Amino acid sequence: MAQPIRVTVWNEFRHEKMHEAVRQVYPDGIHEAIARPLSAQGFAVRTATLDEPRHGLTPEVLAETDVLIWWGHMAHHEVADEVVEDVVRRVWSGMGLVVLHSGHFSKVFKRLMGTSCDLKWREANDTERIWVVNPSHPVAEGLGEYIELEREEMYGEHFDVPAPDELVFVSWFTGGEVFRSGCAYRRGRGKVFYFRPGHETYPTYHHPQIQRVIANAVRWAAPGSGPVPRYGHSQPLASP
Amino acid sequence: MAQPIRVTVWNEFRHEKMHEAVRQVYPDGIHEAIARPLSAQGFAVRTATLDEPRHGLTPEVLAETDVLIWWGHMAHHEVADEVVEDVVRRVWSGMGLVVLHSGHFSKVFKRLMGTSCDLKWREANDTERIWVVNPSHPVAEGLGEYIELEREEMYGEHFDVPAPDELVFVSWFTGGEVFRSGCAYRRGRGKVFYFRPGHETYPTYHHPQIQRVIANAVRWAAPGSGPVPRYGHSQPLASP
Amino acid sequence: MAQPIRVTVWNEFRHEKMHEAVRQVYPDGIHEAIARPLSAQGFAVRTATLDEPRHGLTPEVLAETDVLIWWGHMAHHEVADEVVEDVVRRVWSGMGLVVLHSGHFSKVFKRLMGTSCDLKWREANDTERIWVVNPSHPVAEGLGEYIELEREEMYGEHFDVPAPDELVFVSWFTGGEVFRSGCAYRRGRGKVFYFRPGHETYPTYHHPQIQRVIANAVRWAAPGSGPVPRYGHSQPLASP
Amino acid sequence: MAQPIRVTVWNEFRHEKMHEAVRQVYPDGIHEAIARPLSAQGFAVRTATLDEPRHGLTPEVLAETDVLIWWGHMAHHEVADEVVEDVVRRVWSGMGLVVLHSGHFSKVFKRLMGTSCDLKWREANDTERIWVVNPSHPVAEGLGEYIELEREEMYGEHFDVPAPDELVFVSWFTGGEVFRSGCAYRRGRGKVFYFRPGHETYPTYHHPQIQRVIANAVRWAAPGSGPVPRYGHSQPLASP
């Protein structure tokens, strides 16, 4: 039988400690809310948070991680550059990365995109509808035509990322904006999926369809067994 | 000085004859409303309509057309297959094609896409906001962040087209839908741009920003002077 | 346990009957050479050939096919248009399609691409090296950096297809040409993979790495459980 | 009349000073060899080199540059991080960037790609054939089906860059390798083109077709007048 995919859920874990409103929604932290349904489906899940030594992302942890999930918001600047570099190099060598919501401004995502990753935002009373525009993509497995989130923070275009290799979701917001909310990228031997929803004051990660997308993204982003390219000086190939 | 780009605006031209409401908006036909601002900008414009012999698209007309604009709706099936084939082959050999609104279901567009080109639609009271998601694309020249059309027919995802080579616009509709409303493709040596708005009962083609997009799309789709590939049996290349 | 993927290997099966040289390489037909290693890996495989009633592709067979593999060359024009249309519609509704070698000129592939699908070719003494340019793509699983085929027919650029959604392989030929030899597309809910090698006079389909690519492509192209879009008239979505 | 495009050709300018063999090919430096044919075609060209203050790329120079051309090789690490950041931000705000040959390993290119940008290489006796795979792309204007360079350094796949938004050229090398040698990207409001050839010991930049590609790339990468997105907090849009 195949080994389970090893997932590390990384969370900044600050809002939950500082704001009662967030703690009520995510009493054990956003990371636990994300980790639990993944564990229940048979993934081998651990968590890591900003205030642990090396943010919980030691070389050993990263070496044992097939897919890293990333949620951060208020303390992106506190993530050490050397850890960022370790994460980026693990992605290049095959680790999957699933970046959630305000993680668009994390150092790791910006580093892998090469753009500002900026966007419009608003905390108000918007409903979000996440439309599937790529129905044969693995990240859309088991979904309906759209996911409706009654209340979410708005993120609006222009989203300053490279054109995704594959665009899977586009969001609609009550206030008049759209957003490319499910974006798939390849970087080196690794895969990166950005998924928009998940503001800390809304119960988004308790939504079964959102959990489904995250699980799908983990499966899609898991490392494969494709070739490991050799780089550098190279002899001519012998002709038969 | 460069020769002007030669544009042929093709219109089905049936709604305008049959429905007083359409005639009030486009008294000379949609084709004239599209052609006039292009002529005013210096393009060399002619028009062609369904009920002309060979739908106005004789081999001579096609040979003298750099970019063909296509509006059709109720009579797609009346377009002769041989004319469709002529248009497709001209695109392959370099002619640009700008497909508007209900032209998504035209034979020429479906033939070039290889998909059903189906979508959701509704004639109601929707406002449309056409957001630019690709601000450095030539078709977005001179625009603001979005174009707002107070009333338009809704087109919604899933839009069953191949993932566009370049996605330029995404639309928002009041009723809750999104749509990839500006899609750029290359087919053979030709370029194809699909642009969503333009229902016959709304004054969309009188909107200066819509006219701007159409002019931009014509410039983008105009034939270049890239290589003309040779196909078929081929000798090995001499080694220096 | 998951059901095995149901594969139908379609072969024109004419060269093998007419040319002794081909029969020596593929005594039971190219379809059997492709089918056997797939069966051995647990796929549920059947075959179908041109000269069977409806070319072996009855509505029942297509309905029970998850992935269709297509090899054809000298008799593309004998494939009935109604069967082509059935195949295309099955792809749109989710069936995978793996098109091999001279299948680039098949009616089904040209219909799904919307281009001429033309290319350069030469039967000579070329060696082909198929380089992986997308090492994290599922179709590259288990491969080295390149596959070397000592003798193959040359196919050279320009290959007149739409820019692939994902480019997986690029081939090198002794005579000086390159070719985009592994091209992944999505059409409707279905996936299409074009894989270049497999001239009838060479033992290409007996090569373990080529067999590996075909099996990978079948797995990649197998239908998923993503949303089934509804098209046509659509009511506004209720606002919460 | 339109203002000429303002081009800054940046060159490391070290090989030319240190190696007689290079000086014989490029007596005034690679930058002058690149600049001269651009000036002759009416571009407004200046040059800048590593050993000037701030590498010749002061904020003033960057502000007056529409397209920056970059050649570097042995001293990438000497380019100051703050200048790299200035260049990257100018690209995001619209400046075009044309990266040549060993510039694949420059800090600016790696920063914009988010990957290692590694590759295979060999200095030997390879001939390079640069095939056009995208004949309608503006960078292929005026070219034949391929450009042949009798002697060039080999660069081979895997080239560790994001899949290009548009792939324009693929190279063939005598020794058996292929390379995606013309890659177009959008980053923010800016455009980036990577073009492979140009080893310092070969007269590549004296080749008229190579000069043509560089001029085409400059025209393609020149800033447009598309929307300037606003980011950050955003009010809901008024409904009509």
Side-chain angles (χ1 to χ4, degrees):
Chain A
M1 195 199 118
Q3 292 297 311
I5 296 171
R6 300 166 300 173
V7 181
T8 300
V9 182
W10 192 89
N11 181 19
E12 190 178 275
F13 198 28
R14 288 276 177 88
H15 287 290
E16 300 93 326
K17 295 174 185 165
M18 298 170 68
H19 303 107
E20 177 57 28
V22 179
R23 191 159 48 237
Q24 288 198 352
V25 183
Y26 297 112
D28 304 316
I30 285 174
H31 49 297
E32 290 297 337
I34 292 170
R36 226 166 275 143
L38 291 172
S39 295
Q41 289 174 71
F43 295 97
V45 186
R46 68 169 111 194
T47 63
T49 55
L50 179 65
D51 292 326
E52 296 174 55
R54 219 182 161 89
H55 317 318
L57 298 174
T58 61
E60 296 71 33
V61 167
L62 286 174
E64 294 170 1
T65 299
D66 293 320
V67 181
L68 178 64
I69 298 178
W70 194 278
W71 197 102
H73 183 215
M74 60 186 286
H76 292 313
H77 60 288
E78 293 184 41
V79 178
D81 287 340
E82 63 186 291
V83 175
V84 171
E85 206 56 31
D86 285 353
V87 168
V88 165
R89 281 169 192 279
R90 271 290 291 146
V91 171
W92 292 352
S93 68
M95 183 180 74
L97 178 69
V98 177
V99 175
L100 297 174
H101 190 61
S102 42
H104 75 91
F105 255 176
S106 63
K107 288 180 179 179
V108 293
F109 188 61
K110 290 196 292 185
R111 178 86 170 72
L112 287 161
M113 294 295 107
T115 57
S116 75
C117 300
D118 214 339
L119 47 75
K120 289 185 176 63
W121 61 271
R122 175 176 62 243
E123 292 184 53
N125 294 314
D126 286 275
T127 293
E128 176 176 13
R129 281 195 194 89
I130 304 168
W131 286 91
V132 176
V133 299
N134 195 334
S136 73
H137 196 280
V139 177
E141 293 279 304
L143 302 181
E145 289 197 89
Y146 63 90
I147 302 170
E148 181 164 314
L149 300 173
E150 192 177 328
R151 289 289 174 272
E152 249 295 351
E153 185 181 6
M154 184 283 293
Y155 277 9
E157 295 282 348
H158 175 247
F159 184 20
D160 186 25
V161 285
D165 295 339
E166 298 176 300
L167 178 65
V168 184
F169 303 119
V170 172
S171 285
W172 175 100
F173 293 94
T174 311
E177 294 88 358
V178 297
F179 194 75
R180 287 169 294 167
S181 52
C183 298
Y185 299 93
R186 298 173 188 276
R187 289 291 180 269
R189 299 182 74 238
K191 284 164 245 161
V192 179
F193 194 79
Y194 176 79
F195 187 45
R196 197 214 75 83
H199 193 60
E200 66 271 11
T201 57
Y202 300 114
T204 298
Y205 296 122
H206 300 310
H207 191 296
Q209 292 292 287
I210 299 298
Q211 293 172 354
R212 176 76 200 242
V213 171
I214 294 172
N216 287 346
V218 166
R219 273 184 217 99
W220 172 81
S225 60
V228 182
R230 285 173 307 107
Y231 298 112
H233 187 258
S234 183
Q235 294 296 332
L237 298 169
S239 285
Chain B
M1 199 197 115
Q3 291 297 311
I5 296 172
R6 299 166 301 173
V7 182
T8 300
V9 182
W10 191 90
N11 180 20
E12 192 178 276
F13 198 29
R14 289 278 177 86
H15 288 288
E16 298 93 325
K17 295 174 185 164
M18 297 170 69
H19 303 106
E20 177 57 26
V22 180
R23 192 159 47 234
Q24 288 197 355
V25 184
Y26 297 113
D28 304 316
I30 284 174
H31 50 297
E32 291 298 337
I34 292 170
R36 227 166 274 142
L38 291 172
S39 295
Q41 288 173 72
F43 295 97
V45 187
R46 65 170 113 195
T47 64
T49 56
L50 180 65
D51 292 326
E52 297 174 53
R54 217 179 164 93
H55 317 317
L57 298 174
T58 60
E60 295 70 33
V61 167
L62 286 174
E64 293 170 3
T65 298
D66 294 318
V67 181
L68 178 64
I69 298 178
W70 194 279
W71 197 103
H73 182 214
M74 60 185 286
H76 292 314
H77 60 285
E78 293 185 42
V79 177
D81 287 341
E82 64 186 291
V83 174
V84 171
E85 206 57 28
D86 285 352
V87 168
V88 164
R89 282 171 192 278
R90 269 290 290 148
V91 170
W92 292 353
S93 68
M95 183 182 73
L97 178 68
V98 177
V99 175
L100 296 174
H101 191 62
S102 43
H104 74 92
F105 255 176
S106 63
K107 289 181 178 179
V108 293
F109 188 61
K110 292 197 291 185
R111 177 86 172 69
L112 288 162
M113 294 293 106
T115 58
S116 76
C117 301
D118 214 340
L119 48 77
K120 291 185 175 59
W121 60 272
R122 174 176 62 243
E123 292 183 53
N125 295 314
D126 286 275
T127 292
E128 175 175 14
R129 281 195 195 89
I130 304 167
W131 286 91
V132 176
V133 300
N134 194 334
S136 73
H137 197 280
V139 177
E141 293 278 302
L143 302 180
E145 289 198 90
Y146 62 90
I147 301 170
E148 181 164 312
L149 300 172
E150 192 177 325
R151 289 290 174 271
E152 250 294 351
E153 185 180 5
M154 184 283 294
Y155 277 9
E157 294 282 342
H158 179 245
F159 184 22
D160 186 24
V161 284
D165 296 337
E166 299 176 298
L167 177 64
V168 184
F169 303 119
V170 173
S171 284
W172 175 100
F173 292 94
T174 311
E177 294 87 356
V178 296
F179 194 76
R180 289 169 292 168
S181 51
C183 298
Y185 299 93
R186 297 176 188 274
R187 290 290 180 270
R189 299 182 74 240
K191 286 165 244 161
V192 179
F193 194 80
Y194 175 78
F195 187 46
R196 196 214 77 83
H199 193 61
E200 66 271 13
T201 57
Y202 299 114
T204 298
Y205 297 123
H206 300 311
H207 191 296
Q209 293 291 287
I210 298 299
Q211 293 172 355
R212 177 75 202 242
V213 171
I214 293 172
N216 287 344
V218 166
R219 273 184 217 101
W220 171 81
S225 60
V228 181
R230 284 174 308 107
Y231 299 112
H233 186 260
S234 183
Q235 294 297 330
L237 298 168
S239 285
Chain C
M1 197 200 117
Q3 293 297 313
I5 296 171
R6 300 166 301 175
V7 181
T8 300
V9 182
W10 192 87
N11 180 18
E12 193 180 274
F13 197 29
R14 289 277 176 85
H15 287 289
E16 300 93 327
K17 295 175 186 165
M18 295 169 69
H19 304 107
E20 178 56 28
V22 180
R23 192 162 45 237
Q24 288 197 350
V25 184
Y26 298 113
D28 303 315
I30 285 174
H31 50 297
E32 291 298 336
I34 293 170
R36 228 167 271 142
L38 291 171
S39 295
Q41 288 173 73
F43 294 96
V45 186
R46 68 169 111 195
T47 63
T49 54
L50 180 66
D51 291 326
E52 297 175 55
R54 217 180 165 91
H55 318 316
L57 297 174
T58 62
E60 297 70 34
V61 167
L62 285 174
E64 294 170 2
T65 299
D66 294 319
V67 180
L68 178 64
I69 298 177
W70 195 279
W71 198 102
H73 183 214
M74 60 186 287
H76 293 313
H77 60 285
E78 293 185 42
V79 178
D81 286 341
E82 62 185 295
V83 174
V84 171
E85 207 56 29
D86 284 354
V87 169
V88 165
R89 281 170 192 279
R90 271 290 291 147
V91 170
W92 291 352
S93 68
M95 183 180 75
L97 178 69
V98 177
V99 176
L100 297 174
H101 190 61
S102 42
H104 75 92
F105 255 175
S106 64
K107 288 181 177 179
V108 294
F109 188 62
K110 291 195 293 184
R111 178 85 173 72
L112 287 161
M113 294 295 106
T115 56
S116 75
C117 300
D118 214 339
L119 47 74
K120 291 185 174 61
W121 60 271
R122 174 177 62 242
E123 292 183 54
N125 294 315
D126 285 275
T127 292
E128 176 176 13
R129 282 195 195 89
I130 304 167
W131 286 92
V132 176
V133 299
N134 194 334
S136 74
H137 197 280
V139 177
E141 293 278 302
L143 302 181
E145 289 198 90
Y146 63 89
I147 301 170
E148 181 164 312
L149 300 173
E150 192 176 328
R151 289 289 173 272
E152 250 293 353
E153 185 182 4
M154 183 282 293
Y155 277 10
E157 296 280 348
H158 177 245
F159 184 22
D160 185 24
V161 286
D165 295 338
E166 298 176 299
L167 177 64
V168 184
F169 303 119
V170 173
S171 286
W172 175 100
F173 292 93
T174 311
E177 293 88 357
V178 297
F179 195 76
R180 288 170 293 168
S181 52
C183 297
Y185 298 93
R186 299 175 187 276
R187 289 292 180 268
R189 299 183 73 240
K191 285 164 245 159
V192 179
F193 195 79
Y194 176 78
F195 187 45
R196 197 213 75 82
H199 193 59
E200 67 271 11
T201 56
Y202 300 113
T204 298
Y205 296 122
H206 299 310
H207 190 298
Q209 292 292 287
I210 298 298
Q211 293 173 354
R212 176 74 201 242
V213 171
I214 293 172
N216 288 345
V218 165
R219 274 185 216 100
W220 171 82
S225 61
V228 181
R230 285 173 309 107
Y231 299 112
H233 187 258
S234 182
Q235 294 297 329
L237 298 169
S239 285
Chain D
M1 197 198 119
Q3 292 296 313
I5 297 172
R6 300 165 302 174
V7 181
T8 301
V9 182
W10 192 89
N11 180 20
E12 193 178 274
F13 198 28
R14 288 276 177 87
H15 288 290
E16 299 93 325
K17 295 175 186 164
M18 298 170 67
H19 304 105
E20 177 58 24
V22 179
R23 194 163 41 238
Q24 288 196 350
V25 183
Y26 297 113
D28 303 315
I30 285 175
H31 49 297
E32 291 297 337
I34 293 170
R36 226 167 274 142
L38 291 172
S39 296
Q41 288 174 71
F43 295 96
V45 187
R46 67 170 113 196
T47 64
T49 55
L50 180 64
D51 291 326
E52 296 174 55
R54 218 183 162 89
H55 318 318
L57 298 174
T58 61
E60 296 70 35
V61 166
L62 286 174
E64 294 170 0
T65 299
D66 294 319
V67 181
L68 178 64
I69 298 177
W70 195 279
W71 197 102
H73 182 217
M74 60 184 288
H76 292 314
H77 60 286
E78 293 185 42
V79 177
D81 287 340
E82 63 186 293
V83 174
V84 171
E85 206 58 29
D86 284 353
V87 168
V88 165
R89 282 171 193 279
R90 271 290 292 147
V91 170
W92 292 353
S93 68
M95 184 182 74
L97 179 68
V98 177
V99 176
L100 296 174
H101 190 61
S102 43
H104 75 92
F105 254 175
S106 64
K107 288 181 178 179
V108 294
F109 188 62
K110 292 196 291 185
R111 178 85 173 73
L112 287 162
M113 294 294 106
T115 57
S116 76
C117 301
D118 215 339
L119 46 77
K120 290 184 175 62
W121 60 271
R122 175 177 60 244
E123 292 184 52
N125 294 314
D126 285 277
T127 292
E128 175 176 14
R129 280 194 196 91
I130 304 168
W131 286 91
V132 176
V133 299
N134 195 334
S136 73
H137 196 281
V139 177
E141 293 278 303
L143 302 181
E145 289 198 90
Y146 63 90
I147 301 170
E148 182 164 310
L149 300 173
E150 192 177 327
R151 289 289 174 272
E152 249 295 349
E153 184 181 6
M154 185 282 293
Y155 278 10
E157 295 282 346
H158 178 245
F159 183 21
D160 186 24
V161 285
D165 296 339
E166 298 176 298
L167 178 64
V168 185
F169 302 119
V170 172
S171 284
W172 176 100
F173 292 93
T174 312
E177 294 88 357
V178 297
F179 195 75
R180 289 169 293 168
S181 51
C183 297
Y185 299 93
R186 297 174 188 277
R187 289 292 180 267
R189 300 180 75 241
K191 285 164 244 161
V192 179
F193 195 79
Y194 176 77
F195 187 45
R196 198 213 76 83
H199 192 60
E200 66 270 11
T201 56
Y202 300 114
T204 298
Y205 296 122
H206 299 312
H207 190 298
Q209 293 292 286
I210 298 299
Q211 292 173 354
R212 176 75 200 241
V213 171
I214 294 172
N216 287 346
V218 166
R219 272 183 218 101
W220 172 81
S225 61
V228 181
R230 284 171 309 107
Y231 299 112
H233 187 260
S234 182
Q235 293 297 328
L237 298 169
S239 286

